[in-house]
Amino acid sequence: MTFTLPPLPYESTALDPVISARTLEFHHGKHHQTYVTNLNNLIKDTELADQSLEAIIQQVAGDASKAGVFNNAAQVWNHTFFWNSLTPKGGGKPGGKLLSLIERDLGGLEKFAEDFKQAAISQFGSGWAWLVVDNGKLAITKTANADLPLTKQQTALLTIDVWEHAYYLDYQNRRADFVQAFLDKLINWEFAEANLDQAGL
Ligand code: MN
């Protein structure tokens, strides 16, 4: 099996000016594409070649000799998940079920926004901030580089990419402004709710 770059779920201009078309075209068309190309080259003619992306990630996680496969496979997964965590009609409030879980587990929507922003800002260097289900409860986490909830028995609901390539053209060093704009204008609660259903909550 050869992996292909999934198309963005919206036009490249759809998130402007929060995320410019130029950023999306580089981030999706160059960065995400490169992870797909690298992964295909690394697994070609190996026992991993006919496996799903998730199966590959789980098999090579923690194996230092397969770090290149892990990094590229996880980044393919992370980016596809990130594009879906954004929507031009984002922001606002989640639906009742997710909102009540945020109140139960995370201290309410305002506290969620504050803590999610803090996780995203405090990730030193490249990485990701996440809303996940961990042991039946919502949690906010952050991961470095390509790491992801799948390797920690957690179900991802939402993510933000805080690698510099995600925001540098539009925000330069102002990661906090990028994260705030994501929360205010792009966060895709419907996607999180669909993932919550899959997690059986
Ligand atoms: Mn990225």
Side-chain angles (χ1 to χ4, degrees):
M1 182 161 105
T2 303
F3 292 101
T4 53
L5 180 69
L8 285 172
Y10 29 72
E11 296 296 315
S12 64
T13 53
L15 308 182
D16 194 74
V18 183
I19 298 177
S20 66
R22 188 153 182 262
T23 289
L24 273 187
E25 283 159 11
F26 273 102
H27 198 176
H28 176 257
K30 304 290 184 192
H31 291 277
H32 194 178
Q33 176 65 65
T34 298
Y35 297 127
V36 171
T37 303
N38 289 346
L39 176 62
N40 284 329
N41 288 335
L42 286 164
I43 63 175
K44 195 179 176 202
D45 302 325
T46 76
E47 72 281 5
L48 297 169
D50 59 353
Q51 306 208 24
S52 72
L53 189 57
E54 289 81 0
I56 292 171
I57 291 167
Q58 284 175 314
Q59 275 182 66
V60 303
D63 180 347
S65 73
K66 300 267 172 63
V69 176
F70 176 81
N71 286 333
N72 285 283
Q75 284 292 77
V76 171
W77 193 97
N78 289 343
H79 282 86
T80 302
F81 194 83
F82 175 52
W83 306 134
N84 286 293
S85 295
L86 308 172
T87 170
K89 295 174 186 158
K93 284 186 176 183
K97 186 166 91 175
L98 181 54
L99 186 59
S100 68
L101 289 170
I102 289 173
E103 285 162 356
R104 185 191 75 179
D105 298 336
L106 301 175
L109 195 57
E110 275 183 34
K111 185 77 162 61
F112 157 80
E114 192 180 306
D115 292 348
F116 187 89
K117 187 175 175 182
Q118 187 54 34
I121 294 169
S122 65
Q123 170 53 41
F124 186 76
S126 296
W128 304 80
W130 306 85
L131 175 63
V132 302
V133 177
D134 185 10
N135 265 323
K137 286 190 161 184
L138 299 190
I140 294 166
T141 66
K142 56 186 177 180
T143 59
N145 300 317
D147 202 11
L148 71 173
L150 187 61
T151 61
K152 306 168 204 307
Q153 288 76 52
Q154 296 167 337
T155 302
L157 301 184
L158 279 173
T159 195
I160 184 169
D161 185 344
V162 293
W163 285 56
E164 281 189 348
H165 67 224
Y167 59 87
Y168 209 83
L169 291 175
D170 299 327
Y171 297 85
Q172 295 77 51
N173 60 321
R174 293 176 287 115
R175 186 191 289 187
D177 291 354
F178 168 62
V179 177
Q180 189 65 52
F182 164 82
L183 287 165
D184 291 341
K185 294 177 182 158
L186 297 183
I187 192 168
N188 187 350
W189 289 119
E190 285 182 15
F191 179 62
E193 286 156 17
N195 292 321
L196 192 63
D197 286 343
Q198 289 214 331
L201 272 189

